[in-house]
Amino acid sequence: MNRFSALVKREVKTSQKDLFTYGLVIVLVMFASETLQSVFARYAGVPFPAESYNEMFPSFLLLGGLIISSLMFSEDMFGKDTQHDWLMLPATNLEKFLSKALLMIVAYPIALLVLFFLISVVTEPIQLIIFGNPMAMFNPFRDGDLGILLAQYWVWTSVFLLGGTYFRKAHFIKTVLAIGVIALVLGGLGLLFTRIVFEIKFGSSLQVFDAMFYLSPVNLSRTLSPLKVFSIITQIFYYAVLPIFCLVTAFFRVEEVQATDAV
């Protein structure tokens, strides 16, 4: 446990300059955004948006988190000047992997939530004093969408962590391209599957979209009932099987690089 804690501290310490810069960028972007909106609200008669923080938080969580996730292993696994030190650390491959994965999956969302709340605590009184705008503190639980957002983040972070361990360069771009190719293939297979199902049910002479108009409400309900089961299976695969598969595969990729000395 002490060894794992030391690994986590090492990750934070080696990245603290970049993390501080990233946090400062978030602070400046949010402060500038709030100030501009306050100016427009006061002098242009535009209503002041009360949901500014809640609208910006998903962008920094998903886009920022995925970019950082894709770069999490780049220097230690593939950097010529740093890979040897990481490979020779007195820790298991699982500890090395988890020290990075848990920081992105668990620590990053929590740190971002705290940062946004602190920004609102400091910024909102300033906006109130200068512009007289109503205080709108950051409240991620206001809309009840935080759980869904974190679930989406968990899935996509695991995907981009896999991309970060698999690709040697341009991790984020190559991961996005790989996702695009896979989505096209799965989309084509989905259309083919739909076509086959409709031909079995209605015959090859009836077009897929035309068949929808021949369905009565009762038949439509019977037709869609198997799709509900399929939807549940899809959600289980999306939120559980896919991220676990990506994380396990990423771990084995780390072991492969360790065994081959990053060659």
Side-chain angles (χ1 to χ4, degrees):
M1 192 65 183
N2 292 333
R3 188 170 57 188
F4 182 75
S5 299
L7 278 174
V8 174
K9 291 179 181 178
R10 174 188 177 274
E11 293 295 333
V12 175
K13 189 172 182 61
T14 54
S15 305
Q16 62 183 4
K17 184 177 180 180
D18 294 332
L19 293 175
F20 176 80
T21 303
Y22 178 61
L24 184 60
V25 168
I26 295 177
V27 172
L28 294 176
V29 168
M30 292 307 302
F31 186 81
S33 174
E34 287 292 301
T35 302
L36 288 175
Q37 291 181 62
S38 298
V39 171
F40 278 109
R42 181 167 184 175
Y43 298 105
V46 179
F48 182 79
E51 302 292 332
S52 177
Y53 295 101
N54 291 64
E55 292 174 356
M56 294 292 289
F57 177 77
S59 299
F60 283 104
L61 176 66
L62 294 176
L63 182 58
L66 298 185
I67 292 175
I68 297 174
S69 297
S70 65
L71 300 174
M72 201 66 181
F73 292 89
S74 59
E75 289 297 322
D76 286 332
M77 285 183 62
F78 307 112
K80 294 182 179 180
D81 299 327
T82 55
Q83 63 182 199
H84 178 75
D85 294 337
W86 189 69
L87 292 173
M88 296 303 294
L89 286 174
T92 65
N93 295 331
L94 181 60
E95 289 172 332
K96 294 177 183 179
F97 175 75
L98 289 179
S99 65
K100 292 178 178 291
L102 290 179
L103 280 175
M104 290 310 308
I105 295 174
V106 179
Y108 177 76
I110 295 175
L112 195 63
L113 283 168
V114 173
L115 179 60
F116 263 71
F117 176 74
L118 293 178
I119 292 173
S120 68
V121 168
V122 174
T123 303
E124 290 305 304
I126 296 176
Q127 303 295 328
L128 175 63
I129 294 172
I130 298 177
F131 301 102
N133 290 328
M135 293 183 61
M137 307 296 290
F138 173 60
N139 182 9
F141 306 102
R142 179 179 301 167
D143 300 326
D145 296 331
L146 181 62
I148 298 176
L149 181 63
L150 292 177
Q152 295 287 346
Y153 176 77
W154 143 255
V155 173
W156 288 106
T157 300
S158 64
V159 173
F160 278 82
L161 283 172
L162 174 58
T165 60
Y166 186 81
F167 300 112
R168 291 178 175 270
K169 296 180 180 179
H171 312 275
F172 181 78
I173 296 175
K174 289 182 178 179
T175 303
V176 171
L177 291 176
I179 293 173
V181 172
I182 294 174
L184 287 175
V185 173
L186 293 179
L189 291 176
L191 290 175
L192 179 62
F193 174 77
T194 304
R195 177 68 183 181
I196 293 174
V197 169
F198 270 85
E199 285 194 2
I200 292 175
K201 190 171 182 63
F202 298 102
S204 59
S205 61
L206 190 62
Q207 298 297 321
V208 174
F209 294 104
D210 292 339
M212 299 298 296
F213 294 100
Y214 286 89
L215 287 175
S216 66
V218 176
N219 291 331
L220 181 61
S221 176
R222 292 175 181 175
T223 304
L224 293 179
S225 58
L227 295 180
K228 296 179 181 178
V229 178
F230 178 76
S231 175
I232 295 174
I233 296 175
T234 302
Q235 291 183 26
I236 294 174
F237 176 83
Y238 179 75
Y239 288 108
V241 178
L242 175 61
I244 293 175
F245 170 79
C246 290
L247 291 175
V248 171
T249 307
F251 166 67
F252 282 117
R253 173 62 174 165
V254 172
E255 284 211 316
E256 178 189 355
V257 172
Q258 179 87 32
T260 58
D261 292 329
V263 176

